[in-house]
Amino acid sequence: MRRVVVLPERGKLIVATDLQGNVADFDRVAEIYEEAARKRDGAVLVITGDLVHGPELSEAQWPDYLGSYYLGDSGTVLERARLLAERHPGRVHYLLGNHEHAHVGGPVVSKFFPDEARRLEDLLGYEGTQAMREWLCTWPFVALAPRANLVMLHAAPHARIESRNDLERLPLDGFFDVPLEEMANRGALGALLWARTTSTERARSFLRAIDPNARVAIYGHDVARNGYAIDREPLLCISTSFGCFDGDKLYLEWDLDEPADSAADVARRGLRPLYPAAPPVYRID
């Protein structure tokens, strides 16, 4: 498998982030992608990790800071994600997130359960768990849209690398006992999966290592209540699902042959509401 997937140079690019077991949001992203895929030049979908590990709370227990209510069902999301990829071979890409990494060598994450990975694996059973782990080990870390000048990854582009080949040699295991607060600074893989932000200089260094023409890093991992955040150039953090109200959830739609100039340019021209009819809570049109 390749840890950096290079996307085609024509067609539509659809990017979504951090679904965390939200079946309805996954289905909506799939609907948007498949509609775009029917167009003349087709489409590519990139989901930047954290498909799994959602809350299993009743509506009465639901806190406002988690946004719109849903009942997490990671098993169904994984099943539908695999079927979508099978229907569109080579056109649907799931990037490894820190929650997926918890199943294949990463540290324990405990947002809603003491061990999120254990909870999901108990639900999947032995055979389901083995199949999931085998699949997760093939997921790339980074997606590159070369003509669009875009790089997609799970977390902020904080990793120190010299070239994209450095990512091909990164092992997944060896992180089980690392404290979560240390992960962003624990080598390139820790930064790829855990960094919430980085400096402009370090981000641009990462982008140049992936592709000399890359201009914008697109990622999730953190929650932007109004759907996106630009801490500084070239960082564009998007929130498609987890932690947001339906009216604030955003995804990216971009032409693969359209060069991007900046994160602000991509946000202005490429962000779309996941649910256009839902009233925004934090988002300002």
Side-chain angles (χ1 to χ4, degrees), residues 35-242:
E35 181 178 350
R38 288 191 288 269
K39 303 287 178 61
R40 184 182 65 179
D41 292 327
V44 173
L45 173 65
V46 176
I47 296 182
T48 67
D50 283 4
L51 280 179
V52 298
H53 300 172
E56 298 178 34
L57 303 171
S58 69
E59 288 196 62
Q61 298 171 305
W62 190 261
D64 282 346
Y65 71 83
L66 288 178
S68 294
Y69 177 76
Y70 73 101
L71 183 63
D73 186 352
S74 297
T76 296
V77 169
L78 285 172
E79 179 183 3
R80 295 186 183 184
R82 188 187 286 272
L83 289 173
L84 182 65
E86 289 174 353
R87 288 199 301 273
H88 302 274
R91 309 288 290 189
V92 173
H93 305 283
Y94 307 113
L95 307 184
L96 195 76
N98 62 297
H99 283 268
E100 287 85 19
H101 188 214
H103 294 277
V104 289
V108 172
V109 288
S110 53
K111 188 172 292 182
F112 302 111
F113 294 89
D115 186 333
E116 300 280 359
R118 174 65 62 85
R119 168 61 178 171
L120 177 53
E121 291 176 5
D122 286 345
L123 293 172
L124 293 175
Y126 177 79
E127 291 185 0
T129 294
Q130 293 305 112
M132 176 189 64
R133 288 175 177 171
E134 290 175 7
W135 187 33
L136 295 181
C137 285
T138 69
W139 288 15
F141 301 142
V142 171
L144 166 67
R147 288 191 66 179
N149 303 336
L150 300 178
V151 170
M152 289 134 278
L153 66 165
H154 176 63
H158 188 64
R160 294 187 185 276
I161 60 172
E162 298 296 326
S163 77
R164 70 176 79 163
N165 289 333
D166 291 348
L167 302 183
E168 304 297 336
R169 297 186 288 269
L170 293 180
L172 292 175
D173 56 1
F175 296 89
F176 183 78
D177 294 325
V178 178
L180 299 189
E181 63 272 16
E182 296 180 12
M183 280 297 297
N185 295 308
R186 188 60 69 97
L189 185 61
L192 283 171
L193 302 184
W194 285 90
R196 297 190 183 278
T197 190
T198 191
S199 66
T200 292
E201 179 182 9
R202 193 149 168 177
R204 287 182 170 152
S205 176
F206 179 87
L207 293 177
R208 286 194 301 270
I210 298 296
D211 185 277
N213 295 318
R215 294 290 179 270
V216 181
I218 298 166
Y219 59 99
H221 184 55
D222 210 354
V223 176
R225 303 291 179 197
N226 66 339
Y228 81 100
I230 301 173
D231 284 351
R232 58 190 62 85
E233 291 290 346
L235 308 176
L236 176 55
C237 178
I238 301 173
S239 287
T240 301
S241 180
F242 180 75

